[in-house]
Amino acid sequence: MWFQSALISLLATTALAQYDTPNGPDEDGKYEISAEGIRGRFIPYGASVSNLFIKGKDGVERDVVLGFDNATAYEGEVHPHLGGVPGRYANRIKNSTFVIDGEEYHIEPNEHDNENTLHGGPDGWDYRNFTVVAHTNDSITFSIVDPDGKEGFPGEVVSYVTYTMTPNTWNIKIVALATTKKTPIMLTSHTYWNLDGFAKPNDLTALNHTLYMPYSGQRVSVDGILIPDGDILANQQYSVNDFWSAPKQIGANLTAPELLGNCGTNCTGYDNCYIVNRDQNGPYDWRTSEPVASLSSDWSGIKVDIFTDQEAFQMYSCGGQDGTLPYKSTQGVNGTAGFVPQYGCIVMEVQDWIDAINQPEWGRDKRQIFGPGDAAYTVNAEYVFSTTS
Ligand SMILES: *[C@@H]1O[C@H](CO)[C@@H](O)[C@H](O)[C@H]1NC(C)=O
Ligand SMILES: *[C@@H]1O[C@H](CO)[C@@H](O)[C@H](O)[C@H]1NC(C)=O
Ligand SMILES: *[C@@H]1O[C@H](CO)[C@@H](O)[C@H](O)[C@H]1NC(C)=O
Ligand SMILES: *[C@@H]1O[C@H](CO)[C@@H](O)[C@H](O)[C@H]1NC(C)=O
Ligand SMILES: *[C@@H]1O[C@H](CO)[C@@H](O)[C@H](O)[C@H]1NC(C)=O
Ligand SMILES: *[C@@H]1O[C@H](CO)[C@@H](O)[C@H](O)[C@H]1NC(C)=O
Ligand SMILES: *[C@@H]1O[C@H](CO)[C@@H](O)[C@H](O)[C@H]1NC(C)=O
Ligand SMILES: *[C@@H]1O[C@H](CO)[C@@H](O)[C@H](O)[C@H]1NC(C)=O
């Protein structure tokens, strides 16, 4: 009896402590951080961003990322990887197989009738609760320990994800250590954007958003289920994949015949890994050289410039959305409820070349295979917001 009541009072104190501290989660299970011109909310599930508030040119705050209204909703049937950190290996692994030092590993498949593994497997990192290890008014750090053998991957991986707000900027730093064996690691933030916060009258799509990727004259060639086939393709000027020669609206080439099949069999739109080529300009500082991508919406006037040390950029134009995923109560015209239509969002992922662990001729092992003796795996990114008139 004694230990039971002691335990209950301990649990109650712990729960109270969580809600009492100014830095605990709110009633929706979300942790807020902010700086001048920017306010974000995050949840332990997948270390996900769930809200990001930015003021548009009309002075009205827009929530520019997809998510759910509370942390509980993320654990339902629908799991579009909303705003989390997929791990330990983002995107697809061909045939759920890879070889390290001559040893073949078979991991858990979870896509296309179990032909391949997507985002680290059926219980990848963004299906798990990270631990909140630090939370201040402008920063939050999550951690995860991914055990040896989980989802079939060799060795333990320990990772920290830190999100920090500075004026008008969302900073992301991800660090991961392979502590026991050599293993593939590729991480990113899988955030879905709609820079109008679904408040643009008569158009909930992101087709009028303008994208510019000045370094991305090439992309990874993929088969009908989006698995790389080893080739690197040219994004010829004026072709549907040309976002490098000039800024272009996402929907500019929607009726071009080449756009059918561009994101897999029967898919019209984008779900492509664009290569970031900037070495020719000499040594660069990713924080001060040009952004790898810029996305803007004329309607809200919100623009985001993405700076990163990563050398590829995955962009998905949400062709698979079918009007069944609700947007949040913080979105829509004055908070009216509604659903995300096809092309209602854009996913942008700073990362490395997808499935390079199965394309040794690309020579990217040092960026994707990590063991106990190696330096830490890292991802750095800054999302800098401004308004256009
Ligand atoms: C969380 O959000 C979901 C979906 O909007 C809703 O059904 C559920 O009632 C909410 N739960 C809580 C505890 O607020
Ligand atoms: C896929 O992996 C399985 C083992 O899981 C292997 O038997 C098969 O040959 C592989 N298929 C291809 C096409 O590589
Ligand atoms: C994540 O944490 C929430 C809140 O504590 C809990 O309800 C949920 O069961 C946890 N989910 C997993 C997958 O551990
Ligand atoms: C953090 O925010 C809380 C609540 O708004 C405020 O009381 C506190 O002074 C802030 N702390 C710092 C260090 O800015
Ligand atoms: C928005 O996109 C449509 C095509 O979807 C295009 O016809 C129209 O010109 C665009 N609007 C603006 C303001 O660029
Ligand atoms: C794509 O759109 C751009 C901008 O409108 C245009 O210059 C280009 O010719 C189009 N390409 C195709 C293949 O339709
Ligand atoms: C693609 O679409 C065609 C025509 O609608 C259909 O016959 C075919 O089965 C589809 N293929 C796949 C893989 O969905
Ligand atoms: C939304 O609310 C604002 C401020 O209350 C108001 O000016 C505007 O007319 C409203 N818009 C719609 C479409 O109801």
Side-chain angles (χ1 to χ4, degrees):
M1 282 313 274
W2 174 84
F3 72 84
Q4 213 173 30
S5 57
L7 186 62
I8 287 164
S9 79
L10 179 66
L11 287 173
T13 321
T14 311
L16 271 178
Q18 277 195 345
Y19 287 95
D20 272 357
T21 72
N23 291 328
D26 64 16
E27 66 274 17
D28 293 324
K30 300 183 179 184
Y31 295 77
E32 184 161 304
I33 59 175
S34 62
E36 187 194 331
I38 188 164
R39 196 158 63 90
R41 293 186 189 143
F42 299 84
I43 56 166
Y45 190 70
S48 307
V49 62
S50 66
N51 306 78
L52 193 63
F53 298 99
I54 305 290
K55 274 187 187 159
K57 64 182 177 190
D58 57 2
V60 178
E61 215 174 41
R62 306 286 170 198
D63 185 354
V64 297
V65 301
L66 268 63
F68 292 111
D69 277 331
N70 59 62
T72 317
Y74 284 78
E75 305 202 36
E77 291 284 292
V78 182
H79 191 105
H81 306 276
L82 292 182
V85 175
R88 70 176 71 173
Y89 194 90
N91 207 275
R92 298 179 173 81
I93 295 178
K94 183 183 182 176
N95 199 28
S96 305
T97 302
F98 54 87
V99 175
I100 298 177
D101 292 342
E103 186 168 346
E104 190 167 298
Y105 294 92
H106 300 286
I107 57 167
E108 291 288 333
N110 61 344
E111 202 189 30
H112 299 123
D113 297 324
N114 290 337
E115 272 189 58
N116 64 280
T117 297
L118 176 65
H119 293 325
D123 193 33
W125 289 11
D126 64 0
Y127 293 84
R128 296 181 231 166
N129 282 330
F130 285 54
T131 303
V132 178
V133 292
H135 180 217
T136 67
N137 285 8
D138 61 6
S139 185
I140 187 162
T141 295
F142 296 98
S143 75
I144 189 169
V145 177
D146 191 19
D148 180 14
K150 186 83 177 88
E151 306 301 283
F153 285 102
E156 180 191 73
V157 173
V158 178
S159 180
Y160 289 86
V161 177
T162 298
Y163 301 120
T164 306
M165 299 305 189
T166 52
N168 305 310
T169 305
W170 177 26
N171 303 264
I172 301 179
K173 187 172 187 75
I174 305 177
V175 178
L177 296 169
T179 52
T180 58
K181 293 176 192 163
K182 279 194 189 177
T183 188
I185 302 178
M186 186 156 79
L187 304 170
T188 186
S189 164
H190 195 279
T191 302
Y192 288 72
W193 301 86
N194 180 305
L195 297 179
D196 299 331
F198 299 102
K200 181 182 178 185
N202 307 317
D203 179 18
L204 300 183
T205 75
L207 291 171
N208 280 126
H209 286 31
T210 299
L211 178 67
Y212 184 40
M213 299 189 286
Y215 300 118
S216 291
Q218 294 177 308
R219 72 185 186 283
V220 171
S221 174
V222 290
D223 67 12
I225 59 167
L226 301 177
I227 307 292
D229 57 20
D231 290 340
I232 303 297
L233 301 175
N235 301 326
Q236 300 288 353
Q237 191 169 18
Y238 309 124
S239 71
V240 297
N241 287 294
D242 170 19
F243 287 95
W244 60 268
S245 71
K248 188 172 77 180
Q249 291 201 357
I250 296 289
N253 299 137
L254 198 62
T255 57
E258 308 93 283
L259 206 61
L260 171 60
N262 194 55
C263 42
T265 303
N266 287 353
C267 174
T268 299
Y270 302 96
D271 195 354
N272 302 86
C273 181
Y274 297 92
I275 309 284
V276 175
N277 287 311
R278 55 187 156 173
D279 290 345
Q280 64 153 16
N281 301 330
Y284 59 87
D285 177 349
W286 65 269
R287 291 172 203 273
T288 52
S289 65
E290 292 295 296
V292 301
S294 299
L295 183 73
S296 61
S297 166
D298 283 347
W299 183 77
S300 66
I302 296 174
K303 181 182 190 202
V304 56
D305 290 313
I306 302 176
F307 299 81
T308 183
D309 57 358
Q310 300 296 293
E311 295 181 2
F313 192 87
Q314 183 82 19
M315 191 271 284
Y316 168 53
S317 60
C318 289
Q321 285 301 328
D322 59 2
T324 57
L325 180 72
Y327 52 75
K328 287 171 289 183
S329 59
T330 46
Q331 298 176 315
V333 179
N334 292 346
T336 50
F339 295 87
V340 181
Q342 189 181 34
Y343 306 122
C345 39
I346 299 166
V347 179
M348 301 190 289
E349 298 156 74
V350 299
Q351 57 189 198
D352 204 59
W353 301 23
I354 57 172
D355 200 29
I357 52 173
N358 281 309
Q359 305 296 343
E361 70 282 7
W362 291 349
R364 301 196 73 81
D365 280 8
K366 288 201 168 61
R367 298 175 180 279
Q368 303 211 351
I369 308 284
F370 293 82
D374 296 325
Y377 166 92
T378 55
V379 173
N380 285 290
E382 291 181 4
Y383 293 70
V384 181
F385 294 87
S386 57
T387 45
T388 58
S389 50

Short mmCIF file of all heavy atoms in Angstrom, two decimals, residues 107-132:
data_model
loop_
_atom_site.label_atom_id
_atom_site.label_comp_id
_atom_site.label_asym_id
_atom_site.label_seq_id
_atom_site.Cartn_x
_atom_site.Cartn_y
_atom_site.Cartn_z
N ILE A 107 16.77 -5.63 -44.14
CA ILE A 107 16.02 -4.90 -43.12
C ILE A 107 14.53 -5.03 -43.38
O ILE A 107 14.10 -5.58 -44.39
CB ILE A 107 16.46 -3.42 -43.08
CG1 ILE A 107 16.30 -2.79 -44.46
CG2 ILE A 107 17.90 -3.32 -42.61
CD1 ILE A 107 16.42 -1.29 -44.44
N GLU A 108 13.73 -4.52 -42.45
CA GLU A 108 12.27 -4.63 -42.54
C GLU A 108 11.73 -3.82 -43.72
O GLU A 108 11.95 -2.61 -43.79
CB GLU A 108 11.63 -4.08 -41.25
CG GLU A 108 11.86 -4.91 -40.02
CD GLU A 108 11.07 -6.20 -40.04
OE1 GLU A 108 10.00 -6.24 -40.68
OE2 GLU A 108 11.54 -7.18 -39.42
N PRO A 109 11.00 -4.47 -44.64
CA PRO A 109 10.38 -3.72 -45.74
C PRO A 109 9.05 -3.11 -45.28
O PRO A 109 8.46 -3.58 -44.30
CB PRO A 109 10.13 -4.80 -46.80
CG PRO A 109 9.94 -6.05 -46.01
CD PRO A 109 10.75 -5.91 -44.74
N ASN A 110 8.61 -2.06 -45.94
CA ASN A 110 7.31 -1.46 -45.58
C ASN A 110 6.64 -0.70 -46.72
O ASN A 110 5.73 0.09 -46.47
CB ASN A 110 7.47 -0.53 -44.35
CG ASN A 110 8.41 0.63 -44.61
OD1 ASN A 110 9.17 0.60 -45.57
ND2 ASN A 110 8.35 1.65 -43.79
N GLU A 111 7.08 -0.92 -47.96
CA GLU A 111 6.45 -0.18 -49.06
C GLU A 111 6.39 -1.05 -50.30
O GLU A 111 7.21 -1.96 -50.47
CB GLU A 111 7.23 1.12 -49.36
CG GLU A 111 6.37 2.15 -50.07
CD GLU A 111 7.15 3.36 -50.58
OE1 GLU A 111 8.34 3.23 -50.91
OE2 GLU A 111 6.55 4.42 -50.67
N HIS A 112 5.41 -0.75 -51.19
CA HIS A 112 5.29 -1.43 -52.48
C HIS A 112 5.30 -2.96 -52.31
O HIS A 112 6.20 -3.64 -52.83
CB HIS A 112 6.40 -0.99 -53.44
CG HIS A 112 6.35 0.47 -53.74
ND1 HIS A 112 7.41 1.32 -53.51
CD2 HIS A 112 5.36 1.25 -54.20
CE1 HIS A 112 7.07 2.55 -53.84
NE2 HIS A 112 5.83 2.54 -54.27
N ASP A 113 4.30 -3.48 -51.60
CA ASP A 113 4.21 -4.92 -51.36
C ASP A 113 5.51 -5.46 -50.79
O ASP A 113 5.99 -6.53 -51.17
CB ASP A 113 3.84 -5.68 -52.65
CG ASP A 113 2.47 -5.27 -53.17
OD1 ASP A 113 1.60 -5.00 -52.34
OD2 ASP A 113 2.30 -5.21 -54.40
N ASN A 114 6.08 -4.68 -49.90
CA ASN A 114 7.31 -5.07 -49.20
C ASN A 114 8.51 -5.29 -50.13
O ASN A 114 9.37 -6.13 -49.87
CB ASN A 114 7.07 -6.30 -48.33
CG ASN A 114 6.19 -5.95 -47.14
OD1 ASN A 114 6.11 -4.78 -46.75
ND2 ASN A 114 5.52 -6.93 -46.58
N GLU A 115 8.54 -4.49 -51.21
CA GLU A 115 9.69 -4.56 -52.12
C GLU A 115 10.85 -3.70 -51.63
O GLU A 115 11.98 -3.85 -52.08
CB GLU A 115 9.29 -4.05 -53.51
CG GLU A 115 8.72 -5.12 -54.42
CD GLU A 115 8.56 -4.61 -55.84
OE1 GLU A 115 9.56 -4.19 -56.44
OE2 GLU A 115 7.43 -4.63 -56.34
N ASN A 116 10.54 -2.72 -50.78
CA ASN A 116 11.62 -1.83 -50.32
C ASN A 116 11.29 -1.28 -48.94
O ASN A 116 10.19 -1.49 -48.42
CB ASN A 116 11.83 -0.69 -51.32
CG ASN A 116 10.62 0.23 -51.42
OD1 ASN A 116 9.65 -0.11 -52.11
ND2 ASN A 116 10.64 1.35 -50.74
N THR A 117 12.26 -0.57 -48.36
CA THR A 117 12.07 0.06 -47.05
C THR A 117 12.01 1.57 -47.24
O THR A 117 12.87 2.16 -47.90
CB THR A 117 13.24 -0.30 -46.12
OG1 THR A 117 13.22 -1.72 -45.91
CG2 THR A 117 13.12 0.40 -44.77
N LEU A 118 10.99 2.19 -46.65
CA LEU A 118 10.84 3.65 -46.71
C LEU A 118 11.04 4.24 -45.31
O LEU A 118 10.45 3.76 -44.34
CB LEU A 118 9.44 4.02 -47.23
CG LEU A 118 9.10 5.52 -47.25
CD1 LEU A 118 9.99 6.28 -48.23
CD2 LEU A 118 7.63 5.74 -47.60
N HIS A 119 11.88 5.28 -45.23
CA HIS A 119 12.05 6.05 -44.00
C HIS A 119 12.37 5.19 -42.77
O HIS A 119 11.80 5.39 -41.68
CB HIS A 119 10.82 6.92 -43.73
CG HIS A 119 10.63 8.01 -44.75
ND1 HIS A 119 11.67 8.67 -45.35
CD2 HIS A 119 9.49 8.55 -45.29
CE1 HIS A 119 11.19 9.57 -46.20
NE2 HIS A 119 9.89 9.52 -46.19
N GLY A 120 13.25 4.19 -42.96
CA GLY A 120 13.77 3.45 -41.80
C GLY A 120 12.92 2.29 -41.34
O GLY A 120 13.23 1.68 -40.31
N GLY A 121 11.84 1.97 -42.08
CA GLY A 121 11.07 0.77 -41.74
C GLY A 121 9.74 1.07 -41.07
O GLY A 121 9.41 2.21 -40.76
N PRO A 122 8.95 -0.01 -40.82
CA PRO A 122 7.60 0.14 -40.26
C PRO A 122 7.60 0.78 -38.86
O PRO A 122 6.60 1.36 -38.46
CB PRO A 122 7.06 -1.29 -40.20
CG PRO A 122 8.23 -2.20 -40.37
CD PRO A 122 9.25 -1.43 -41.15
N ASP A 123 8.70 0.67 -38.14
CA ASP A 123 8.81 1.36 -36.85
C ASP A 123 10.05 2.26 -36.85
O ASP A 123 10.86 2.25 -35.95
CB ASP A 123 8.85 0.34 -35.69
CG ASP A 123 8.65 1.02 -34.33
OD1 ASP A 123 7.92 2.02 -34.26
OD2 ASP A 123 9.24 0.54 -33.35
N GLY A 124 10.15 3.03 -37.94
CA GLY A 124 11.25 3.99 -38.06
C GLY A 124 11.17 5.07 -36.99
O GLY A 124 10.21 5.12 -36.22
N TRP A 125 12.16 5.94 -36.97
CA TRP A 125 12.25 6.93 -35.88
C TRP A 125 11.01 7.80 -35.76
O TRP A 125 10.66 8.22 -34.66
CB TRP A 125 13.48 7.84 -36.10
CG TRP A 125 14.78 7.15 -35.88
CD1 TRP A 125 14.99 5.80 -35.71
CD2 TRP A 125 16.06 7.77 -35.80
NE1 TRP A 125 16.33 5.56 -35.54
CE2 TRP A 125 17.00 6.74 -35.59
CE3 TRP A 125 16.50 9.09 -35.89
CZ2 TRP A 125 18.37 7.01 -35.47
CZ3 TRP A 125 17.86 9.36 -35.77
CH2 TRP A 125 18.77 8.33 -35.55
N ASP A 126 10.35 8.11 -36.88
CA ASP A 126 9.22 9.03 -36.75
C ASP A 126 7.91 8.31 -36.36
O ASP A 126 6.84 8.89 -36.42
CB ASP A 126 9.07 9.94 -37.96
CG ASP A 126 8.75 9.22 -39.25
OD1 ASP A 126 8.63 7.98 -39.23
OD2 ASP A 126 8.61 9.89 -40.29
N TYR A 127 8.04 7.04 -35.93
CA TYR A 127 6.93 6.34 -35.27
C TYR A 127 7.19 6.22 -33.77
O TYR A 127 6.45 5.54 -33.06
CB TYR A 127 6.75 4.93 -35.84
CG TYR A 127 6.28 4.87 -37.27
CD1 TYR A 127 7.18 4.98 -38.32
CD2 TYR A 127 4.92 4.70 -37.58
CE1 TYR A 127 6.76 4.91 -39.64
CE2 TYR A 127 4.49 4.63 -38.89
CZ TYR A 127 5.41 4.74 -39.93
OH TYR A 127 4.99 4.67 -41.23
N ARG A 128 8.28 6.81 -33.31
CA ARG A 128 8.66 6.64 -31.90
C ARG A 128 8.74 7.99 -31.20
O ARG A 128 8.99 9.02 -31.83
CB ARG A 128 10.04 5.96 -31.81
CG ARG A 128 10.04 4.55 -32.37
CD ARG A 128 11.42 3.91 -32.24
NE ARG A 128 11.86 3.36 -33.50
CZ ARG A 128 13.11 2.99 -33.75
NH1 ARG A 128 14.04 3.12 -32.82
NH2 ARG A 128 13.43 2.49 -34.92
N ASN A 129 8.56 7.96 -29.88
CA ASN A 129 8.72 9.16 -29.06
C ASN A 129 10.19 9.39 -28.79
O ASN A 129 10.88 8.53 -28.24
CB ASN A 129 8.02 9.00 -27.72
CG ASN A 129 6.52 9.20 -27.82
OD1 ASN A 129 6.03 9.95 -28.66
ND2 ASN A 129 5.78 8.51 -26.96
N PHE A 130 10.68 10.55 -29.15
CA PHE A 130 12.01 10.95 -28.72
C PHE A 130 11.89 11.45 -27.26
O PHE A 130 10.80 11.69 -26.77
CB PHE A 130 12.54 12.10 -29.59
CG PHE A 130 13.01 11.69 -30.97
CD1 PHE A 130 12.19 10.98 -31.84
CD2 PHE A 130 14.28 12.04 -31.43
CE1 PHE A 130 12.61 10.62 -33.12
CE2 PHE A 130 14.72 11.69 -32.71
CZ PHE A 130 13.89 10.98 -33.55
N THR A 131 13.03 11.62 -26.61
CA THR A 131 13.07 12.17 -25.25
C THR A 131 13.41 13.66 -25.35
O THR A 131 14.31 14.03 -26.10
CB THR A 131 14.15 11.46 -24.42
OG1 THR A 131 13.86 10.06 -24.42
CG2 THR A 131 14.19 11.97 -22.99
N VAL A 132 12.68 14.48 -24.60
CA VAL A 132 13.02 15.90 -24.55
C VAL A 132 14.15 16.05 -23.54
O VAL A 132 13.95 15.82 -22.35
CB VAL A 132 11.81 16.76 -24.12
CG1 VAL A 132 12.20 18.23 -24.03
CG2 VAL A 132 10.65 16.56 -25.08
#
